[in-house]
Amino acid sequence: ETGVTQTPRHLVMGMTNKKSLKCEQHLGHNAMYWYKQSAKKPLELMFVYSLEERVENNSVPSRFSPECPNSSHLFLHLHTLQPEDSALYLCASSQDQAGSLNSPLHFGNGTRLTVT
Amino acid sequence: GENVEQHPSTLSVQEGDSAVIKCTYSDSASNYFPWYKQELGKRPQLIIDIRSNVGEKKDQRIAVTLNKTAKHFSLHITETQPEDSAVYFCAASTGGFKTIFGAGTRLFVKA
């Protein structure tokens, strides 16, 4: 049913581990996003890719490294994370920029990340 | 940059009553205001959106109003049902790819 698929659904990693989150969209959209969702806080935009080019980078620590090999796939590479990085990481896609006719964000189910 | 404030953080209503969630934004250039619903353990999903050239929009039991002068916009849910229980997020965008979200309102509808 979902147009945006994220794997894994849950991830537990130590502070010295390296892991990657994967996102795939089947909607033919041009833009893909990474958002961080922490309890009782607004969704925080991390990165945006449009047609495989990074167009937004919201002062995210370098321990988070995005990769967009094509318009359907988006990765978030993680290394030497901190416990405060534990959160739900949501991938989203949109046809075009916000405010245009096809602009709504379509979210995946997220990856629940726990850093121990 | 844009800042979106959302109130209340928690709202409890009786089934059949109305629910109102209010948001304010800081950037007068914002021109697109979507609302997302996130049920427990699920993804946020768009339920309604409004653009700055419109003052009100309605879709069945859901309506959104926009006051550009005051930089306020609100979500109204009438005849609430238990399945309306979820977290609702307002958001604002000036165009481009950056959408700024409010902190969310957890709505409980008591049967």
Side-chain angles (χ1 to χ4, degrees):
Chain A
E1 173 268 322
T2 173
V4 180
T5 304
Q6 287 187 247
T7 54
R9 289 298 306 273
H10 301 272
L11 178 62
V12 180
M13 59 186 289
M15 293 167 60
T16 59
N17 291 159
K18 289 185 180 181
K19 296 286 184 182
S20 296
L21 310 185
K22 179 183 176 182
C23 177
E24 184 174 0
Q25 60 100 358
H26 308 274
L27 300 169
H29 287 170
N30 293 322
M32 296 188 75
Y33 308 72
W34 281 115
Y35 277 89
K36 177 183 179 182
Q37 186 174 31
S38 305
K40 297 183 180 180
K41 291 176 69 175
L43 277 75
E44 300 173 51
L45 179 63
M46 300 176 72
F47 302 104
V48 183
Y49 278 82
S50 173
L51 298 171
E52 302 147 49
E53 277 194 46
R54 192 188 306 182
V55 295
E56 291 283 351
N57 179 350
N58 264 15
S59 301
V60 179
S62 59
R63 57 185 184 269
F64 296 91
S65 175
E67 179 189 359
C68 187
N70 55 61
S71 59
S72 299
H73 293 86
L74 185 65
F75 295 90
L76 188 62
H77 304 298
L78 316 171
H79 65 97
T80 59
L81 294 191
Q82 305 298 312
E84 59 264 29
D85 296 323
S86 299
L88 181 68
Y89 288 85
L90 289 163
C91 174
S93 69
S94 69
Q95 176 61 39
D96 205 335
Q97 300 181 32
S100 67
L101 287 177
N102 295 311
S103 61
L105 294 169
H106 295 255
F107 286 93
N109 281 321
T111 294
R112 174 70 61 186
L113 174 66
T114 303
V115 181
T116 60
Chain B
E2 175 70 281
N3 184 49
V4 177
E5 299 284 339
Q6 182 171 350
H7 299 280
S9 57
T10 306
L11 179 60
S12 184
V13 300
Q14 203 68 37
E15 183 178 2
D17 288 350
S18 294
V20 180
I21 302 170
K22 298 182 178 182
C23 291
T24 60
Y25 60 98
S26 60
D27 191 339
S28 56
S30 291
N31 56 19
Y32 177 61
F33 307 91
W35 286 86
Y36 290 84
K37 174 184 180 182
Q38 187 176 27
E39 296 178 40
L40 189 62
K42 296 189 176 181
R43 75 193 69 196
Q45 290 190 287
L46 180 77
I47 54 171
I48 194 168
D49 57 11
I50 191 168
R51 289 173 170 78
S52 59
N53 58 346
V54 175
E56 185 173 355
K57 183 176 179 181
K58 190 173 182 180
D59 182 3
Q60 299 182 348
R61 296 186 296 108
I62 294 173
V64 59
T65 58
L66 172 64
N67 182 330
K68 288 188 292 183
T69 303
K71 291 189 278 188
H72 289 173
F73 58 116
S74 300
L75 179 72
H76 305 252
I77 306 173
T78 58
E79 301 171 31
T80 53
Q81 301 167 5
E83 52 264 38
D84 294 328
S85 296
V87 179
Y88 291 81
F89 294 95
C90 64
S93 175
T94 58
F97 295 99
K98 188 172 283 191
T99 299
I100 305 301
F101 286 82
T105 296
R106 186 171 296 276
L107 174 65
F108 297 95
V109 180
K110 296 176 286 186

